[in-house]
Amino acid sequence: MQRRHRIAHRRMWGVLLILLPLILLASLALRRTGPSEAAAIMLAPPK
Amino acid sequence: MSARYVPVGWNTSKAVYDAIALATIAIYIFLFLHIAPSFVDTTQPWDGTSLKMRAYGSCAFLLLSVLLSIGPLARLDRRFLPLLYNRRHLGVITCAVALMHASAVLGWYFSYGPGDAYVLLLSANTSYGRIAGFPFEIFGLAALLVLIALAATSHDFWLSFLTPPVWKALHMAVYGAYFAVVLHVALGALQASTNPFLGMVVLACASGVAGLHVAAGRRARAADAAVARPLPQAPWVMAGEIADIVEDRAITVHLADAEPVAIFRHAGKLSAVSNLCAHQNGPLGEGKIIDGCITCPWHGFQYHPEDGCAPAPFTEKLATFNLRVADGKIWLDPRPNPPGTRVEPVAA
């Protein structure tokens, strides 16, 4: 690769190494908790 | 490679490479379609279209991650070079799998209602102001358009027409496509799934790809920083010791304000050419001499060491450089000769 491509490449991936995991972790943290993930509501005591 | 236009210059290596790639993809999709449903939350089962959508989508994401790992892996360890050889075919296959995913998605939108699936795809959800429920399809569409553009220009015709630096810059758009794919997955599949395995796989892939590129970039920066020492007899620079060069191999000399130079040793003589292959700017100094020709480690393009010309009927030419040898040391004139200029090899 040409030197300018190598430099652009290096800078771009340096940013993405931080950004990609941050986006994924943030998206997991901000995930909506649906009814299936909510604690089960006991309607009647177990027999 | 080919001296005239052919759709694909098939050879045994390419056929085996493509056969392995296609077989692996077929096995993955088959296993996904038959095994994944048993891991799905029984309160939210997947229908047939949804299952295909996820099988093709996950396959395209994994393929793109593998595709983007091949370059840095080959830079870090030469044993991965064979994977680089036919990487463009793998890119086209990835685009085809992504199109299959898009087709399944459109099928899902078609079954959504009587409206136009393309309109529904972009208008069914317009919640651009919030993260939860964000219309993630837009990122997938952007990535798909980039992949189609890159697949369409992946042929050597476009490489020759656009010139290697422009073609390489254009194809670096695949990094933007990968970023868009990660956003597409993060705001789409990850939001809908309660299975932690999916999140871990996506995180491992994205971090792994970025980590490999950063590691390979650090190695390249270290090499760029180790520039050849200028001599009092400027502009000549000290390129290294003769003993450093193994027969039919090269050393790469990094210059302060120019591209590196590869110095090859063949038949006991030294020749210097530009380190950038005329095909895709591959690192010639990491290649070797085969049948008397410098051979690029990436795609096998060849050049005569003494004049930098590709053997007939090929027409590619490299810049050559003048060398001197004294007391076991190699001196290099960093001013390039016009491409194709013959320089008599220097006795080592």
Side-chain angles (χ1 to χ4, degrees):
Chain A
M1 275 196 288
Q2 284 187 332
R3 184 184 294 258
R4 60 195 170 100
H5 286 154
R6 288 199 298 273
I7 293 169
H9 195 269
R10 201 159 55 222
R11 287 179 181 159
M12 199 185 305
W13 281 106
V15 172
L16 286 177
L17 181 62
I18 297 163
L19 209 54
L20 292 179
L22 268 181
I23 288 169
L24 289 168
L25 291 172
S27 75
L28 286 171
L30 296 172
R31 192 165 52 172
R32 221 172 2 190
T33 306
S36 61
E37 284 182 292
I41 301 166
M42 201 174 288
L43 297 175
K47 291 178 182 175
Chain B
M1 64 179 163
S2 169
R4 59 183 176 80
Y5 178 81
V6 287
V8 179
W10 287 107
N11 57 34
T12 309
S13 296
K14 286 185 180 179
V16 169
Y17 190 111
D18 286 6
I20 291 173
L22 291 171
T24 307
I25 291 165
I27 290 168
Y28 173 85
I29 291 173
F30 177 82
L31 290 178
F32 192 101
L33 292 175
H34 289 85
I35 293 175
S38 56
F39 291 94
V40 176
D41 183 354
T42 49
T43 61
Q44 297 170 313
W46 296 345
D47 58 31
T49 311
S50 179
L51 187 60
K52 282 182 190 166
M53 200 162 75
R54 289 164 198 269
Y56 301 146
S58 61
C59 185
F61 174 75
L62 291 173
L63 274 173
L64 196 55
S65 299
V66 169
L67 195 64
L68 289 177
S69 301
I70 291 174
L73 278 173
R75 300 289 294 168
L76 293 167
D77 189 331
R78 297 179 59 84
R79 283 175 295 179
F80 290 98
L81 274 171
L83 292 178
L84 194 70
Y85 175 67
N86 211 24
R87 186 173 53 167
R88 278 185 284 172
H89 282 212
L90 195 57
V92 174
I93 292 171
T94 303
C95 179
V97 176
L99 279 168
M100 286 161 69
H101 168 67
S103 169
V105 170
L106 285 174
W108 187 81
Y109 275 95
F110 270 122
S111 59
Y112 200 85
D116 188 315
Y118 297 97
V119 175
L120 279 172
L121 175 69
L122 297 172
S123 64
N125 181 3
T126 53
S127 312
Y128 288 97
R130 57 195 173 95
I131 292 176
F134 189 92
F136 62 95
E137 296 89 345
I138 198 79
F139 293 117
L141 182 63
L144 183 64
L145 292 175
V146 172
L147 290 181
I148 291 170
L150 299 190
T153 57
S154 65
H155 194 275
D156 268 353
F157 165 79
W158 288 102
L159 182 59
S160 172
F161 180 73
L162 295 170
T163 71
V166 174
W167 187 88
K168 189 70 192 171
L170 174 71
H171 278 244
M172 281 169 78
V174 72
Y175 307 143
Y178 191 65
F179 183 63
V181 166
V182 169
L183 283 172
H184 178 66
V185 175
L187 297 170
L190 285 189
Q191 299 298 309
S193 169
T194 55
N195 189 342
F197 179 72
L198 177 64
M200 285 193 293
V201 169
V202 175
L203 189 61
C205 284
S207 305
V209 170
L212 281 171
H213 277 274
V214 168
R218 281 189 179 166
R219 179 178 280 196
R221 183 172 62 181
D224 280 342
V227 294
R229 186 160 46 90
L231 294 174
Q233 304 91 326
W236 291 79
V237 295
M238 181 63 73
E241 310 260 341
I242 293 173
D244 294 342
I245 313 181
V246 179
E247 179 70 12
D248 288 338
R249 291 280 186 176
I251 55 167
T252 306
V253 183
H254 294 267
L255 305 171
D257 299 312
E259 295 298 338
V261 174
I263 302 179
F264 278 88
R265 181 173 182 161
H266 176 57
K269 293 184 174 179
L270 302 174
S271 299
V273 297
S274 166
N275 189 51
L276 299 180
C277 178
H279 176 224
Q280 272 193 36
N281 290 333
L284 289 173
E286 294 173 25
K288 58 185 172 185
I289 292 193
I290 299 174
D291 298 332
C293 289
I294 296 167
T295 305
C296 180
W298 281 9
H299 302 99
F301 271 58
Q302 291 191 306
Y303 307 91
H304 293 300
E306 63 278 7
D307 59 9
C309 292
F314 304 104
T315 55
E316 288 83 6
K317 290 176 184 174
L318 302 172
T320 55
F321 295 81
N322 297 324
L323 294 173
R324 283 184 199 162
V325 166
D327 303 327
K329 297 186 187 321
I330 308 164
W331 295 5
L332 167 75
D333 183 346
R335 296 167 299 183
N337 296 311
T341 304
R342 181 181 170 83
V343 175
E344 200 55 41
V346 179

